Amino acid sequence: MDYEIVIGLECHVQLLTQSKMFCGCATDYDGSPPNTRVCPVCLGLPGALPVINRKAVEYTVTTGLALHCDIASYAKFDRKNYHYPDLPKGYQVSQYDLPLTRNGYLDIEVDGAARRIGITRVHLEEDTGKNTHVGAVSLIDYNRSGVPLMEIVTEPDLRTPEEARQFATRLRQTLRWIGVSTGDMEAGALRVD
């Protein structure tokens, strides 16, 4: 039996903003004591009103332009409900059917051959907290919760693991070059699924 490998990726990119997606909390959570970079908005407390991070929108549009995407004249956010311990609100504010950018591409080269990988959309959402498991105990740090997270969704155009690696490498180079993210995979600034 012959099989064909078909790969599509979701790439989550933390943006280099000074504040979180919908509040003024600082995004420099790495090395901070747990749960010290939080407020009523990013914790989803009743009555808290979010205000969108303008720089995160600008960075997403900049990324869309770098990836040859169409830029929407109208976009909206959606409430994606799911209940995980690292999501204090019980929902994530994200985009789906009307994202900021869509229909782009990124060219890669594998074994001397050029390949064009389609980009379905580049949209904004907010990051979750971080679970740490110590023996039978689970600890949750919400410092990362609400950090602007850009999601780049590809078309299922990749056919080998090497193409996926080349795509991730080229994407990381692009994000660093345009200055929207460190692309530091070890620190979670770029996560590829």
Side-chain angles (χ1 to χ4, degrees), residues 2 10 24 26 29 36 43 55 61 84 92 97 101 112 115 129 140-141 148 159 163 168-169 171 176 183 191:
D2 292 331
E10 284 187 2
Y29 63 86
T36 57
L43 289 175
K55 184 59 80 173
V61 170
Y84 291 144
Q92 180 186 45
D97 60 329
T101 76
R115 293 270 291 121
I140 304 171
D141 181 1
R159 294 295 182 260
E163 286 183 5
T169 300
L171 178 62
R176 285 180 163 185
R191 298 172 292 220

Side-chain angles (χ1 to χ4, degrees), residues 159-172:
R159 294 295 182 260
T160 67
E162 179 59 22
E163 286 183 5
R165 188 181 76 76
Q166 290 294 336
F167 177 86
T169 300
R170 180 79 170 126
L171 178 62
R172 183 176 186 228

Side-chain angles (χ1 to χ4, degrees), residues 101-133:
T101 76
R102 65 176 73 186
N103 302 326
Y105 64 88
L106 182 63
D107 291 330
I108 62 171
E109 187 175 314
V110 178
D111 298 326
R115 293 270 291 121
R116 179 160 285 179
I117 308 305
I119 304 293
T120 306
R121 66 183 175 277
V122 179
H123 70 263
L124 263 177
E125 56 190 28
E126 54 187 344
D127 212 343
T128 62
K130 181 179 180 181
N131 293 318
T132 303
H133 307 289

Side-chain angles (χ1 to χ4, degrees), residues 12-145:
H12 293 89
V13 180
Q14 281 187 346
L15 298 174
L16 283 174
T17 61
Q18 298 297 310
S19 60
K20 291 186 179 182
M21 188 63 226
F22 296 106
C23 68
C25 289
T27 56
D28 61 345
Y29 63 86
D30 194 30
S32 298
N35 301 313
T36 57
R37 299 285 194 255
V38 295
C39 73
V41 174
C42 57
L43 289 175
L45 298 180
L49 297 175
V51 176
I52 195 166
N53 185 325
R54 180 184 180 109
K55 184 59 80 173
V57 172
E58 290 173 6
Y59 282 171
T60 302
V61 170
T62 300
T63 302
L65 291 171
L67 298 177
H68 313 281
C69 292
D70 299 329
I71 308 302
S73 58
Y74 175 82
K76 72 175 177 70
F77 284 89
D78 299 295
R79 182 172 161 161
K80 187 166 62 172
N81 294 292
Y82 58 94
H83 301 283
Y84 291 144
D86 60 358
L87 193 64
K89 298 180 208 180
Y91 63 88
Q92 180 186 45
V93 178
S94 183
Q95 295 184 303
Y96 181 69
D97 60 329
L98 295 173
L100 287 165
T101 76
R102 65 176 73 186
N103 302 326
Y105 64 88
L106 182 63
D107 291 330
I108 62 171
E109 187 175 314
V110 178
D111 298 326
R115 293 270 291 121
R116 179 160 285 179
I117 308 305
I119 304 293
T120 306
R121 66 183 175 277
V122 179
H123 70 263
L124 263 177
E125 56 190 28
E126 54 187 344
D127 212 343
T128 62
K130 181 179 180 181
N131 293 318
T132 303
H133 307 289
V134 182
V137 177
S138 293
L139 305 172
I140 304 171
D141 181 1
Y142 291 121
N143 284 345
R144 187 177 76 182
S145 180

